[in-house]
Amino acid sequence: MSEPAILKVKGDKIVDGEGNSILLRGAGLGGWMNQENFITGYPGCEFQIREALDDVIGPEKAAFYWDKADAIFYKSLGLNAIRIAFNYRHFEDDMNPRVLKPEGFKYLDRVIDICAKMGIYTILDYHAAAGGQNIDWHSDNPTHVASFWVHKDFQDRAIWLWEELARRYKGNPWIAGYNILNEPTDPTHSRLQHWYDRCIQAIHAIDDEHIIFLDGNTFASDFSHFEGRLHERWPNCVYSVHDYSSFGFPSSPEKYVGSEAQKARVKQDYLDKTAWMRERGLPIWNGEFGPVYARRQFDGNPTDEINESRYMLLKDQLDVYDQEQISWSIWLYKDIGFQGMVYVGLDTPYMKRFEAFLLKKYTLAVDSWGADIKSIKHIQETIEKFITDAVPDPSHLEVYPYPLWGIRKRVGRLVRHILLSEYLVREWAEHFRGLDEGQLDELAASFKFENCARRDGLNAVLREHHKVSTA
């Protein structure tokens, strides 16, 4: 396969070397170089389980997460790009900052090379930065404070890492670009813009060819505070929105049935998030979206009905993106059965070993993502009432990122996801105690493609929408 030219931005399009518009359609590879609790089943944040996970499973076995068989299946769906989430800890240590760990490139190079041989572009996604660029678990942040925006040194370290990445991948045509910071939450709305200025300039001093993908503030949902003419000093950039629909989660107050009113709301949500870019004729990439799915072992008989509703929502979202002719990357490719295109089979050693623990996590709504709080709602509501009674002025409850986070989400993050999870880490780690090398190999191999099930309803929708005219 001949190597293509590096992709570029032209007007509101991404174009190839001959100036032809190209739509990047694919998924996020989470749970590999950036761990997340709902993806692989542990409680809390990656840093809390990293030592135990690496010591007992080892980074080499993590290669099972994405291999040639995954790439072949992925390509068979017609997808042409994959977004690789990574954590800064693969490249530097907090106690030894700005000293590059070369093994980080070893794993990243491997997936980039596998994808290139299959004609699949990669987008490098800085998902977890030192200090935590957002207030959630997926930036490997143990708190609800994004310290990245408070301490300049954290910001400087992120730029240093991008300089190293730019040196490494300059000239690689199979890298579609650099997604330089996932889902920032800057409460001032201004520090993000200043950091983008600095980071773009630093990358372009080394590599001025690759596209830079820029997330909006507040979990990539808000560009409204961006200065009006910022784009004029940010060349060759694509603007990334994350267009999750509330209809796709257990907390939705209504079932999605595809009514005209619901379809209109789905489209309006997208239009609201992308207004800043559309007004200026800028290219848009939907870097994350997608519903979560019911699991029969937890949700019982309503599972199929719930999931058919979610597939309908996904199809209607993709119809909007086809109409708008934008690139997209659904979240995500592989997990243990909640959202992935493929997921670890229930009959694998990994899922059997953690069966009771995963049920406990589900019942206690330990994970924030897509939590169903029905079993502990009475407890959570007691805490919420305690707080609202103590704070009689409702405006005092409007703490950033309000209204995206109201009292329910904030209490859930602090009590269930941070506090309770912290106490469950050792229980999770005990599942590995006493296992020999062969048993550990079996656990890791559970994530191999041949041991995974495919979410056919989801994949059928993606196959239908992977390509659209770019005329």
Side-chain angles (χ1 to χ4, degrees):
M1 181 183 297
S2 61
E3 289 196 342
I6 292 177
L7 300 179
K8 301 287 186 184
V9 168
K10 183 178 181 181
D12 64 350
K13 307 291 185 185
I14 297 172
V15 299
D16 62 18
E18 297 178 354
N20 301 313
S21 295
I22 182 170
L23 291 175
L24 299 173
R25 298 280 171 95
L29 184 62
W32 178 56
M33 288 191 74
N34 187 66
Q35 297 284 329
E36 292 193 43
N37 45 49
F38 79 94
I39 297 178
T40 51
Y42 65 84
C45 297
E46 178 175 351
F47 86 97
Q48 293 169 307
I49 58 91
R50 171 178 284 274
E51 183 175 340
L53 187 67
D54 284 353
D55 284 348
V56 300
I57 294 182
E60 294 292 343
K61 295 180 178 62
F64 291 141
Y65 207 85
W66 177 271
D67 214 334
K68 184 178 179 181
D70 292 282
I72 291 172
F73 169 71
Y74 193 84
K75 186 71 173 179
S76 76
L77 299 177
L79 304 178
N80 65 354
I82 193 161
R83 177 176 179 246
I84 305 175
F86 65 89
N87 189 316
Y88 78 97
R89 297 179 195 273
H90 286 283
F91 298 95
E92 63 165 335
D93 288 324
D94 288 324
M95 295 303 292
N96 198 21
R98 297 182 183 82
V99 176
L100 191 67
K101 297 162 64 175
E103 59 267 28
F105 286 123
K106 175 182 177 181
Y107 304 117
L108 198 54
D109 286 350
R110 177 180 168 276
V111 171
I112 292 170
D113 291 344
I114 289 173
C115 290
K117 289 174 182 176
M118 294 299 299
I120 299 170
Y121 289 101
T122 49
I123 297 171
L124 306 187
D125 158 31
Y126 197 179
H127 218 80
Q133 78 277 10
N134 64 47
I135 52 181
D136 252 337
W137 75 93
H138 42 84
S139 65
D140 204 9
N141 184 350
T143 77
H144 68 299
V145 176
S147 294
F148 182 92
W149 304 112
V150 179
H151 299 285
K152 183 174 178 293
D153 189 62
F154 289 140
Q155 300 173 33
D156 292 346
R157 284 169 61 184
I159 292 173
W160 166 82
L161 181 53
W162 272 118
E163 290 172 332
E164 296 294 333
L165 290 161
R167 290 187 186 97
R168 180 78 169 196
Y169 297 116
K170 178 181 179 179
N172 187 326
W174 285 109
I175 293 178
Y178 308 139
N179 189 189
I180 60 175
L181 200 64
N182 178 67
E183 294 195 344
T185 59
D186 167 23
T188 71
H189 299 284
S190 60
R191 293 172 184 169
L192 171 62
Q193 297 171 55
H194 297 321
W195 186 82
Y196 276 170
D197 273 333
R198 296 175 56 219
C199 192
I200 292 169
Q201 184 177 7
I203 292 172
H204 280 170
I206 299 167
D207 176 2
D208 62 358
E209 292 187 294
H210 277 113
I211 292 170
I212 293 178
F213 293 85
L214 302 174
D215 281 21
N217 198 25
T218 314
F219 303 109
S221 69
D222 184 11
F223 287 87
S224 66
H225 296 273
F226 277 37
E227 295 175 17
R229 305 179 72 86
L230 272 178
H231 59 287
E232 295 180 2
R233 63 178 189 258
W234 294 346
N236 207 33
C237 287
V238 173
Y239 297 82
S240 172
V241 65
H242 290 184
D243 191 29
Y244 288 105
S245 171
S246 60
F247 288 124
F249 294 84
S251 59
S252 175
E254 60 183 287
K255 177 183 176 182
Y256 191 79
V257 296
S259 69
E260 291 306 312
Q262 289 177 330
K263 288 182 179 180
R265 184 169 149 196
V266 165
K267 184 167 186 176
Q268 192 59 51
D269 285 348
Y270 167 80
L271 294 175
D272 289 345
K273 292 174 185 174
T274 58
W276 190 84
M277 293 84 89
R278 289 183 296 103
E279 289 167 1
R280 291 160 178 78
L282 302 174
I284 298 168
W285 176 55
N286 185 3
E288 287 185 25
F289 67 103
V292 299
Y293 298 97
R295 295 158 289 183
R296 193 167 300 281
Q297 68 270 32
F298 300 146
D299 299 290
N301 291 334
T303 294
D304 290 342
E305 181 182 350
I306 293 170
N307 288 344
E308 286 303 318
S309 171
R310 304 278 167 81
Y311 299 144
M312 185 188 307
L313 168 64
L314 178 60
K315 181 182 182 301
D316 288 344
Q317 286 188 279
L318 288 168
D319 283 343
V320 173
Y321 309 149
D322 285 353
Q323 294 164 15
E324 297 293 314
Q325 295 197 348
I326 65 164
S327 296
W328 48 253
S329 179
I330 195 171
W331 191 256
L332 78 159
Y333 174 66
K334 184 184 287 186
D335 68 358
I336 58 172
F338 196 35
Q339 197 170 19
M341 297 160 55
V342 302
Y343 56 93
V344 180
L346 292 176
D347 59 348
T348 59
Y350 187 89
M351 294 302 287
K352 288 180 178 179
R353 189 165 195 85
F354 286 94
E355 180 179 3
F357 185 77
L358 293 174
L359 176 60
K360 179 177 181 177
K361 279 185 66 187
Y362 171 81
T363 304
L364 296 176
V366 173
D367 297 340
S368 291
W369 191 238
D372 188 337
I373 68 169
K374 60 178 179 288
S375 297
I376 49 87
K377 187 176 181 181
H378 60 293
I379 299 172
Q380 173 140 345
E381 287 179 342
T382 299
I383 301 172
E384 292 170 10
K385 186 176 185 302
F386 170 74
I387 293 173
T388 54
D389 286 350
V391 185
D393 187 336
S395 67
H396 294 171
L397 296 171
E398 297 176 0
V399 179
Y400 181 84
Y402 181 88
L404 192 62
W405 276 24
I407 185 71
R408 173 144 298 177
K409 280 193 176 182
R410 188 171 290 274
V411 168
R413 293 302 200 278
L414 291 172
V415 176
R416 302 191 329 263
H417 183 71
I418 294 178
L419 180 60
L420 178 58
S421 291
E422 186 176 34
Y423 289 115
L424 293 176
V425 170
R426 289 178 62 184
E427 180 180 340
W428 173 86
E430 285 296 318
H431 288 77
F432 297 100
R433 185 178 295 279
L435 298 184
D436 60 30
E437 189 69 19
Q439 291 171 312
L440 293 174
D441 281 340
E442 289 181 350
L443 287 182
S446 298
F447 288 85
K448 294 178 73 172
F449 179 77
E450 55 262 39
N451 295 322
C452 289
R454 306 177 192 181
R455 191 169 292 284
D456 293 332
L458 164 60
N459 295 325
V461 175
L462 295 181
R463 184 182 284 109
E464 178 185 349
H465 286 270
H466 79 273
K467 191 174 183 180
V468 65
S469 171
T470 57

